[in-house]
C-alpha cells in the first residue's frame, strides 16, 4: 500500500495588472509540501502504489466508513472507536486515482492500496484488489477543508503561493503554513471568460468546473 496526501504544485495563468503580462502554469500534485507534476485529473499527482504490510479488520478492506490507523505508508484497518483510529474512509474505489473517480472535495489524504495476495484477506478470495481510499481525519486539522493548505484537491476557498518558474502550490490561508498565501481561489467556472474581472490567477481544478478564479490575498 502507498499513500499520497501532500499538496503539490499547481499550474495557473497569472494576469499581471493592466499590462496583461502572463505567466503560464497548470494543475495539482501529490499529498507535505514538495513540488509535484501536473495531474490531468485535477488532483495532486500520485506516485505508484508500493506493497506494504497490511492487516484487514472489516469484511472489506477499508470500505466506506471504516477507519485506518496512524501512518501513511504502512497502515492497518482498525475499529473507528479504538485508540489507534486516525482517519475514516469517505470514498473507496478500485483501480488508480488517475483512471478512477475523484475523491470528495474535502478529502484530507488518499491511501493507495496495491494489489495483495495475503494468506487471509477481506472476502476469502485470496486477493485485495488495487485501489484507493479517500480519507478524512477523525480529528483536526483537516488540510482538505477550504483554506486548509493541503488535501488531494484544490477547491474554492484554498490559497496558493508562487513557486517560481510558472508554478504555484497550495498553502494555508491563515498564514500558519510554511509559506504565506498570495492568492485565494474564489470561484470555480467552466471557462476563464466567466471569472470575475478581479481575477489575477487561473488555476486548473478539474471536474465539471475546471477553472479556478483566484485573486490576490
Amino acid at each position: 500500500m502507498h499513500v499520497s496526501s501532500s499538496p503539490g504544485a499547481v499550474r495557473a495563468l497569472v494576469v499581471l495588472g493592466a499590462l496583461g503580462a502572463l505567466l503560464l502554469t497548470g494543475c495539482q500534485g501529490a499529498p507535505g509540501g514538495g513540488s509535484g507534476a501536473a495531474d490531468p485529473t485535477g488532483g495532486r499527482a500520485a506516485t505508484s502504489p508500493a506493497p506494504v504490510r497490511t492487516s484487514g479488520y472489516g469484511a472489506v478492506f477499508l470500505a466506506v466508513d471504516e477507519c485506518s490507523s496512524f501512518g501513511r505508508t504502512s497502515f492497518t484497518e482498525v475499529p473507528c472507536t479504538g485508540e489507534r483510529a486516525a482517519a475514516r474512509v469517505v470514498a473507496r474505489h478500485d483501480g488508480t486515482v488517475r483512471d478512477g473517480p475523484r475523491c470528495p472535495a474535502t478529502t484530507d489524504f488518499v491511501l493507495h492500496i496495491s494489489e495483495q495476495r495475503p494468506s487471509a484477506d477481506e472476502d476469502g478470495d485470496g486477493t485485495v484488489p488495487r485501489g484507493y481510499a479517500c480519507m478524512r481525519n477523525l480529528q483536526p486539522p483537516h488540510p482538505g477543508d477550504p483554506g486548509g493548505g493541503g488535501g488531494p484537491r484544490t477547491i474554492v476557498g484554498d490559497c496558493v503561493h508562487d513557486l517560481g518558474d510558472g508554478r504555484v502550490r497550495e498553502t494555508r490561508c491563515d498564514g500558519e503554513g510554511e509559506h504565506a498565501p498570495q492568492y485565494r481561489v474564489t470561484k470555480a467556472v467552466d471557462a476563464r471568460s466567466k471569472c470575475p474581472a478581479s481575477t489575477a490567477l487561473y488555476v486548473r481544478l478539474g471536474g465539471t468546473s475546471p477553472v479556478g478564479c483566484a485573486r490576490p490575498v
Side-chain angles (χ1 to χ4, degrees):
M1 299 184 184
H2 183 75
V3 62
S4 228
S5 62
S6 320
V10 298
R11 292 196 178 268
L13 182 63
V14 182
V15 182
L16 301 178
L19 294 179
L22 301 179
L23 174 62
L24 184 62
T25 70
C27 189
Q28 295 174 255
S35 295
D39 179 352
T41 66
R44 292 175 178 73
T47 57
S48 300
V52 299
R53 185 178 179 183
T54 65
S55 173
Y57 178 80
V60 177
F61 185 72
L62 287 182
V64 173
D65 285 335
E66 291 179 343
C67 293
S68 70
S69 63
F70 294 90
R72 303 286 182 86
T73 57
S74 181
F75 53 89
T76 58
E77 183 180 308
V78 297
C80 290
T81 55
E83 62 181 14
R84 296 179 60 208
R88 186 185 301 273
V89 181
V90 294
R92 173 75 155 83
H93 305 288
D94 291 338
T96 65
V97 171
R98 181 176 294 274
D99 298 325
R102 305 177 81 207
C103 282
T106 56
T107 297
D108 287 329
F109 63 96
V110 178
L111 292 180
H112 296 270
I113 303 164
S114 59
E115 184 175 4
Q116 302 289 312
R117 289 181 173 82
S119 57
D121 66 281
E122 74 264 22
D123 58 9
D125 70 353
T127 65
V128 174
R130 183 181 187 184
Y132 57 99
C134 309
M135 309 299 296
R136 175 83 172 170
N137 292 331
L138 293 179
Q139 301 293 334
H142 293 292
D145 282 352
R153 293 179 56 183
T154 298
I155 60 177
V156 172
D158 281 339
C159 294
V160 297
H161 70 94
D162 186 7
L163 287 175
D165 193 29
R167 296 178 302 155
V168 294
R169 176 176 295 140
E170 191 177 330
T171 189
R172 288 177 57 169
C173 288
D174 62 7
E176 296 298 317
E178 183 178 353
H179 299 279
Q182 294 176 293
Y183 303 92
R184 184 193 296 266
V185 179
T186 59
K187 189 175 183 180
V189 296
D190 60 8
R192 291 176 182 169
S193 60
K194 295 183 180 180
C195 283
S198 59
T199 298
L201 187 77
Y202 300 97
V203 182
R204 196 172 72 185
L205 306 179
T208 57
S209 298
V211 179
C213 315
R215 58 189 301 177
V217 174

